[in-house]
Amino acid sequence: MSVFDKIIYQQEIMQIYLYDGRELAIKRFVLSMTFIMLVAAVVAGCSKSIDASVYNTDCEFYLEGLPEEYNLLPDEIKKETGVWIRLGSVTSDRVYEVLLNEENGFRQSVEGLIPGKYEVNYGVTNSRYSRLRVKVDINNIIIEKNNHYEIPAYMADPSEFVREIMNLQPQDELLNADIFSRKVQYNGRIIDLYNIRDEMKFVAPKDKRLAPKETIEIPSSDHEGVSIIVQNQTQKYIEASEATFTGVRFSRNNNVVFPKAITLGTSLRDLAHASEGIMGTPDYCLGSPVVYYNIDATILVYVDKNSGDRISFHYESGKSYVSSITYEFEKYE
């Protein structure tokens, strides 16, 4: 008997039981439910709910000093960015938590807090791409009846935040450049990707030998999130330091801008929409063909038929914006 047949058979037996022995079934059901409720009462105990409004307490959480340059971030990045602040009781498991974001104007109130002493913790969601860094000066707070409280968060370094955001605004030269020009804007300066080793330091791992055709990434020692790609293009094992330089990868929160104002954080629609996207339909995809549904990472690949250069835009599982960009030279696919 197949699994499907067994399910049908069990359903038929259940129907016979319910309709031919209805009275007995009801009695057994009542007894079963009574037993379950007794067990639940023993395990959980008995208690009455508390109307916390009688304490007449409330706390307002907000972020101060957010520069207007925040609005220059891609919409997809702002949607996933927020400041969370958590109050955790020092005597019980009671927790109050808020998320301050663009949707609520970075301000939120909680009413009916139960009196007691609480520790204050905080952080930023998606700080890697938003560059948002904050601080809260209050480490703990004592909530008392009939009181109003405020817990503000502040920008940790507003001037640094503004500098990073402005470095992401593309210069005219880059806006008008071809995506396969091998030019990028990094920290406000336009550089040639093929000469990036003159701009940053990359140290190959010692005693690392590569097999023929093997490829590895070598991260920069002075610029987080930047790596060069090297490949053994010989027919023998060689040291990684002897491998051929074949490309560059940008990831994490570095201030890179590609031609046409493409950055880490550019949305899927802005990049790859067939008629309105900056790049249009990709030549092919790697990974999951379905983006944003937590199935797998997706890579959109574009190839220049003239130079053979290849650029790949990586989308993490469940995300709809670029998380890293890989530029490779003369792939000729």
Side-chain angles (χ1 to χ4, degrees):
M1 183 182 294
S2 68
V3 174
F4 180 76
D5 290 335
K6 287 181 179 178
I7 293 173
I8 297 299
Y9 175 74
Q10 290 171 353
Q11 289 178 339
E12 291 174 347
I13 293 298
M14 182 61 70
Q15 289 173 353
I16 294 172
Y17 175 72
L18 288 175
Y19 286 100
D20 291 355
R22 182 172 298 175
E23 184 177 351
L24 178 60
I26 292 174
K27 290 181 178 179
R28 289 182 175 177
F29 175 77
V30 172
L31 288 172
S32 297
M33 292 303 297
T34 302
F35 176 74
I36 291 172
M37 292 174 67
L38 286 172
V39 171
V42 171
V43 173
C46 298
S47 64
K48 64 178 181 179
S49 59
I50 299 175
D51 181 7
S53 64
V54 301
Y55 298 121
N56 190 30
T57 58
D58 69 275
C59 186
E60 187 173 11
F61 304 83
Y62 53 90
L63 174 62
E64 282 192 343
L66 182 64
E68 62 181 14
E69 284 80 5
Y70 177 81
N71 295 315
L72 296 174
L73 286 171
D75 289 340
E76 296 296 323
I77 297 299
K78 290 190 289 184
K79 285 178 184 178
E80 295 195 5
T81 300
V83 178
W84 59 266
I85 304 177
R86 180 187 303 126
L87 304 185
S89 171
V90 300
T91 60
S92 70
D93 295 331
R94 189 180 305 113
V95 173
Y96 300 98
E97 183 171 327
V98 298
L99 181 65
L100 312 177
N101 54 27
E102 190 176 45
E103 184 176 349
N104 55 36
F106 290 93
R107 182 178 294 268
Q108 194 169 350
S109 295
V110 175
E111 298 180 352
L113 282 75
I114 296 177
K117 184 177 181 180
Y118 295 83
E119 291 183 342
V120 181
N121 291 288
Y122 63 94
V124 177
T125 62
N126 206 35
S127 61
R128 183 196 308 180
Y129 295 103
S130 69
R131 283 110 173 136
L132 198 62
R133 291 176 286 275
V134 303
K135 61 180 180 178
V136 174
D137 294 334
I138 300 173
N139 296 318
N140 53 69
I141 187 171
I142 297 177
I143 303 295
E144 297 179 339
K145 292 188 294 183
N146 303 316
N147 271 295
H148 167 79
Y149 299 89
E150 293 186 2
I151 298 183
Y154 306 90
M155 294 292 295
D157 191 340
S159 59
E160 175 65 14
F161 174 79
V162 171
R163 187 189 69 80
E164 290 189 20
I165 297 302
M166 296 311 298
N167 279 341
L168 287 171
Q169 307 314 303
Q171 300 175 24
D172 289 342
E173 179 183 349
L174 201 71
L175 282 173
N176 297 322
D178 184 85
I179 191 68
F180 292 104
S181 65
R182 299 185 179 180
K183 291 182 179 179
V184 298
Q185 180 178 310
Y186 189 84
N187 283 343
R189 293 180 55 244
I190 294 179
I191 63 175
D192 188 320
L193 287 177
Y194 201 74
N195 297 321
I196 196 170
R197 291 173 295 178
D198 297 332
E199 305 284 341
M200 307 176 191
K201 187 175 182 179
F202 301 91
V203 180
K206 294 182 179 179
D207 302 324
K208 173 64 178 177
R209 294 176 62 80
L210 304 183
K213 300 181 181 180
E214 184 179 357
T215 298
I216 65 168
E217 291 185 14
I218 301 175
S220 170
S221 58
D222 53 359
H223 290 269
E224 183 182 11
V226 185
S227 300
I228 61 171
I229 303 168
V230 298
Q231 182 184 38
N232 179 1
Q233 296 183 349
T234 73
Q235 300 301 312
K236 61 182 181 179
Y237 278 83
I238 62 173
E239 299 293 332
S241 58
E242 301 172 352
T244 302
F245 171 46
T246 62
V248 185
R249 184 180 182 192
F250 296 91
S251 60
R252 297 183 65 80
N253 61 342
N254 56 76
N255 291 315
V256 66
V257 185
F258 276 76
K260 315 303 180 186
I262 299 173
T263 66
L264 301 183
T266 297
S267 71
L268 175 66
R269 190 187 190 287
D270 289 343
L271 180 77
H273 189 277
S275 59
E276 300 176 11
I278 300 170
M279 297 294 294
T281 304
D283 291 300
Y284 63 90
C285 299
L286 299 173
S288 172
V290 182
V291 183
Y292 194 66
Y293 284 96
N294 285 309
I295 297 175
D296 193 6
T298 301
I299 303 175
L300 307 184
V301 183
Y302 298 83
V303 181
D304 181 32
K305 302 303 186 292
N306 296 319
S307 66
D309 287 5
R310 178 174 70 182
I311 186 168
S312 303
F313 300 94
H314 303 246
Y315 289 82
E316 295 178 0
S317 175
K319 305 293 184 183
S320 61
Y321 54 82
V322 178
S323 59
S324 65
I325 302 174
T326 301
Y327 193 103
E328 297 169 278
F329 313 118
E330 299 180 348
K331 300 301 291 188
Y332 285 108
E333 296 181 343

